Amino acid sequence: MTNEEKILDLLSKHDEMLSQVQTTLTKVAVTQENAVIPQLKLLAEGHETLLEALAPKSRVEQMEEEIDLLKTAIRALSRDVAELKKAQ
C-alpha cells in the first residue's frame, strides 16, 4: 500500500468517525430538546411554586419572635395560676 493509499484510507476512517460523532451529537441534541429541557422546565416551575408557597424569611423570623413572647407570657401566667392555687 502506497503512502497516498494509506493517507486516503486514514482520511476515510476519519470521515467515518466524524459521521458517527455527528450522529451521536444529533441524538444527544434531540434527547436534550425533547426530554431533558422539558423536565428542567417542570422542575423550575415546581421550584417557583414552592417558593411562592413558603413564607418569607422575615415573616418566619417575626413569627418566631411572637412565639417566644407568647411562651414567656404563658410561663408567667402559669406561675401566677400556681401561686393563686397555693393561696386558696
Side-chain angles (χ1 to χ4, degrees), residues 14-67:
H14 282 160
D15 283 344
E16 192 175 308
M17 288 179 7
L18 185 59
S19 176
Q20 290 173 354
V21 168
Q22 184 62 42
T23 300
T24 301
L25 183 60
T26 301
K27 288 179 183 177
V28 169
V30 168
T31 300
Q32 180 179 359
E33 184 178 333
N34 293 328
V36 175
I37 292 174
Q39 293 297 321
L40 286 175
K41 286 181 181 178
L42 286 173
L43 183 62
E45 289 172 9
H47 185 69
E48 288 176 12
T49 302
L50 286 174
L51 287 176
E52 290 169 1
L54 291 174
K57 184 177 180 181
S58 60
R59 178 68 180 132
V60 171
E61 290 171 350
Q62 179 185 3
M63 290 173 70
E64 287 174 342
E65 290 174 10
E66 290 174 5
I67 289 170

